[in-house]
């Protein structure tokens, strides 16, 4: 296979290979990166932060100070079958196997976007196998339908492992090595001895892939859901043509961490998979109309968002005054913006942002979609944000606004899956019991 050698093509090979998966895809990646080494991890994983999801300090930041997510993401939805005769509850032997496998990743790859960051979460269905319940400090209801306009499939696998890196060959190598297929079982990962394999304790039920970063959506827009004339701007990190995740509009990792109880340092994670249908987005809207629907009609009118939104710096411009005036905005413009609407539910009593959003694009199944992970102390906080985004109150008061029309971006996005997960602190991440016991 002849591989192009420009940097843009290299990123695209890395993206395509992860979406395809398997040993041949890993080989294609390795040719594209031409032996460029990936930094190894720590000798002693005990030195790593206890908050599994505390990635930000180790990731790149842009000039304005916003976190830049790794370019490639792998979401492995996992099933734990347990050992026969143990009622499906995890054994200490399995805890040790899982701990060894996770530590293998941490020894093999630097915990950064140049290496690999990851977190492992458990679903309510996982905890159902135990007689005891989770402590009150962990709010983890089963996933459910959260908008009036979508009927998603509920993800009820036992666990979700999300891995992210600028080097998809690292993600593929982890998958190939820790879930070995047949006789080919490499003994090392990035030059580090394998001491445990995920395949010894988990089965992969579903494999989803994601990517983000300027240029990648434009280069990968030849899929369902995007018009054939290729309208996605080269500078856009996301298919809809704008930047998201500004520092001032994101919760800090510390503030989404559970504060008390056996799982202090853990958090909850909601993950939606959202199909995008962007023909009308690109065919019907001018730049100003896009800004109105994604941010706020008031920001559109003042010309606040230029191009993909780099000029915004570290703040989307969605102020408390703006979202407090949303009823007036709806009256005047007959339209409300996605961000201003959702932000109404996204502040605590002191005005701090409640959720940490880390969404990335996908071309799985040859259709444009978005993986939308959101971290918050309690799942009920995410549900409140989603309710604010639904805008049911605004729709009820404004004849011009329908649940899917002129109501932010609802016309273009369709929720296909929803899952809720609990991310235990690192020290309790190996098959936790509801009381917090594990063998690590
Ligand atoms: C294709 C789907 C989506 C796209 C392209 C998108 C994009 C954006 C953009 C550009 C902003 C403004 C900049 C920022 O603060 O990041 C924003 C804000 C926001 N989005 Fe989305 N979003 C999507 C789906 C969702 C979903 C499903 C939720 C779930 C409730 C959500 C929750 C929020 C919240 C809470 C804010 C406001 C942040 C604040 O409090 O200021 N978004 N989104």
């Amino acid at each position: 296979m002849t591989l192009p050698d420009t940097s843009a093509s290299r990123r695209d090979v890395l993206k395509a290979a992860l979406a395809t998966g398997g040993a041949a895809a890993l080989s294609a990646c390795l040719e594209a990166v031409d032996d460029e080494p990936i930094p190894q991890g720590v000798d002693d994983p005990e030195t790593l932060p206890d908050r599994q999801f505390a990635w930000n300090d180790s990731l790149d930041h842009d000039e304005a100070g916003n976190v830049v997510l790794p370019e490639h993401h792998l979401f492995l939805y996992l099933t734990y079958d347990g050992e026969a005769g143990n009622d499906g509850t995890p054994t200490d032997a399995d805890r040790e196997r899982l701990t060894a496998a996770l530590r293998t990743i941490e020894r093999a790859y630097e915990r950064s976007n140049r290496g690999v960051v990851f977190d492992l979460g458990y679903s309510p269905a996982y905890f159902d196998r135990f007689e005891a319940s989770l402590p009150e400090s962990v709010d983890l209801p089963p996933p459910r339908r959260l908008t009036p306009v979508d009927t998603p499939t509920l993800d009820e696998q036992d666990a979700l492992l999300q891995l992210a890196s600028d080097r998809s060959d690292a993600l593929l190598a982890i998958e190939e090595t820790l879930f070995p297929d047949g006789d080919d079982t490499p003994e090392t990962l990035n030059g580090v001895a394998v001491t445990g394999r995920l395949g010894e304790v988990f089965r992969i039920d579903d494999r989803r892939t994601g990517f983000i970063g300027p240029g990648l959506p434009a280069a990968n827009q030849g899929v369902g859901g995007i018009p054939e004339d290729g309208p996605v701007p080269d500078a856009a990190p996301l298919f809809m043509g704008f930047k998201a995740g500004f520092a001032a509009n994101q919760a800090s990792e510390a503030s989404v961490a559970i504060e008390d109880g056996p799982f202090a340092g853990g958090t909850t994670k909601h993950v939606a998979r959202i199909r995008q249908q962007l023909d009308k987005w690109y065919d019907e809207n001018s730049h100003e109309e896009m800004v109105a629907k994604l941010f706020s009609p008031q920001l559109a009118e003042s010309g606040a968002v230029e191009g993909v939104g780099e000029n915004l710096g570290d703040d989307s411009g969605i102020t408390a005054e703006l979202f407090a005036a949303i009823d007036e905005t709806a009256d005047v413009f007959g339209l409300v913006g996605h961000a201003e609407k959702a932000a109404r539910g996204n502040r605590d009593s002191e005005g701090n942002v409640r959720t940490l959003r880390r969404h990335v694009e996908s071309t799985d199944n040859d259709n444009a979609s978005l993986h939308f992970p959101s971290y918050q102390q309690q799942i009920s906080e995410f549900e409140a944000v989603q309710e604010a985004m639904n805008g049911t109150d605004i729709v009820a008061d404004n004849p011009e606004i329908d649940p899917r029309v002129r109501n932010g971006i609802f016309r273009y996005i369709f929720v296909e899956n929803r899952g809720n997960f609990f991310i235990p602190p690192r020290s309790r991440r190996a098959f936790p019991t509801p009381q917090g016991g594990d063998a690590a």
Side-chain angles (χ1 to χ4, degrees):
M1 174 175 183
T2 313
L3 289 167
D5 58 4
T6 66
S7 146
S9 307
R10 173 182 131 146
R11 288 168 83 212
D12 212 31
V13 171
L14 292 179
K15 186 262 155 209
L18 185 64
T20 307
L26 176 55
S27 303
C29 269
L30 294 176
E31 265 185 66
V33 295
D34 195 20
D35 286 339
E36 196 183 303
I38 303 178
Q40 290 183 338
V42 289
D43 290 335
D44 179 7
E46 290 290 316
T47 57
L48 295 172
D50 200 33
R51 294 200 298 255
Q52 288 196 68
F53 58 96
W55 303 350
N56 289 355
D57 282 352
S58 67
L59 300 182
D60 283 344
H61 290 66
D62 66 16
E63 281 175 9
N66 303 304
V67 170
V68 179
L69 285 174
E71 290 200 334
H72 306 287
H73 293 248
L74 178 61
F75 298 79
L76 297 176
Y77 286 77
L78 303 170
T79 302
Y80 174 66
D81 290 325
E83 284 183 18
N86 207 46
D87 300 334
T89 57
T91 57
D92 283 346
D94 279 350
R95 291 200 172 94
E96 280 161 26
R97 290 184 185 108
L98 176 54
T99 299
L102 297 173
R103 287 184 178 172
T104 297
I105 302 174
E106 290 165 336
R107 290 197 184 95
Y109 296 104
E110 180 183 276
R111 193 172 184 275
S112 75
N113 52 301
R114 285 164 295 283
V116 174
V117 293
F118 68 92
D119 56 41
L120 174 64
Y122 296 87
S123 68
Y126 164 81
F127 287 106
D128 279 349
R129 57 174 40 80
F130 298 96
E131 273 178 26
S133 306
L134 284 162
E136 269 184 23
S137 52
V138 179
D139 171 49
L140 186 72
R144 59 187 177 112
R145 182 175 181 231
L146 294 177
T147 71
V149 289
D150 301 289
T151 311
T153 300
L154 303 177
D155 285 321
E156 300 194 284
Q157 298 89 344
D158 291 312
L160 171 60
L161 178 64
Q162 180 183 352
L163 301 140
S165 175
D166 287 343
R167 290 285 295 267
S168 70
D169 48 328
L171 307 182
L172 285 165
I174 290 171
E175 205 181 358
E176 291 295 299
T177 307
L178 300 189
F179 288 98
D181 189 6
D183 298 335
D184 184 22
T185 51
E187 293 306 319
T188 58
L189 181 63
N190 200 29
V192 169
V194 173
T195 58
R197 295 182 203 267
L198 294 166
E200 292 172 0
V201 290
F202 283 128
R203 267 187 302 120
I204 300 177
D205 179 80
D206 203 5
R207 173 187 195 278
R208 303 178 194 169
T209 64
F211 61 92
I212 186 166
L216 282 174
N220 290 282
Q221 59 184 312
V223 289
I226 312 254
E228 283 181 6
D229 59 346
V232 179
D234 281 338
L238 293 166
F239 277 136
M240 289 188 88
F242 291 85
K243 190 172 168 172
F246 298 93
N249 304 81
Q250 291 278 49
S252 68
E253 290 168 339
S255 73
V256 300
I258 292 169
E259 288 166 5
D260 308 308
F263 292 118
T267 191
T268 71
K269 179 173 179 178
H270 177 86
V271 187
R273 193 168 69 92
I274 301 175
R275 183 169 56 81
Q276 298 179 70
Q277 189 62 46
L278 301 184
D279 44 358
K280 294 193 183 77
W281 175 249
Y282 281 108
D283 293 345
E284 292 178 355
N285 296 310
S286 63
H287 174 80
E288 194 176 326
E289 284 162 333
M290 288 181 183
V291 174
K293 290 180 179 170
L294 202 43
F295 292 81
S296 162
Q298 303 215 34
L299 293 183
E301 197 175 53
S302 66
V305 186
E306 295 165 15
V308 303
E310 285 297 343
N311 70 302
L312 292 169
D314 70 350
D315 191 328
S316 74
I318 301 293
T319 59
E321 293 71 37
L322 202 60
F323 63 74
I326 200 158
D327 290 336
E328 202 186 317
T329 301
D331 281 346
V332 174
F333 295 90
L335 166 70
V336 282
H338 159 70
E340 64 179 347
K341 194 162 36 107
R344 298 180 300 161
N346 199 26
R347 300 290 180 277
D348 67 14
S349 55
E350 287 162 10
N352 300 312
V353 179
R354 293 161 96 181
T355 59
L356 173 58
R357 296 166 286 130
R358 284 182 175 155
H359 54 83
V360 294
E361 297 295 358
S362 180
T363 54
D364 288 351
N365 310 316
D366 290 327
N367 208 91
S369 63
L370 185 91
H371 297 298
F372 186 94
S374 172
Y375 299 77
Q376 51 284 310
Q377 281 193 22
Q378 307 190 325
I379 289 292
S380 56
E381 294 179 280
F382 176 78
E383 293 189 348
V385 173
Q386 181 64 62
E387 198 179 327
M389 175 179 156
N390 292 348
T392 311
D393 51 333
I394 300 169
V395 170
D397 289 345
N398 291 277
E400 280 181 274
I401 304 178
D402 281 349
R404 276 221 187 272
V405 185
R406 303 177 73 78
N407 185 17
I409 53 175
F410 269 107
R411 187 164 164 83
Y412 318 102
I413 63 172
F414 303 84
V415 183
E416 304 237 305
N417 295 73
R418 284 194 186 283
N420 288 337
F421 300 90
F422 167 57
I423 311 291
R426 205 181 154 281
S427 51
R428 294 181 191 273
R429 68 184 168 172
F431 294 128
T433 67
Q435 300 85 6
D438 86 5

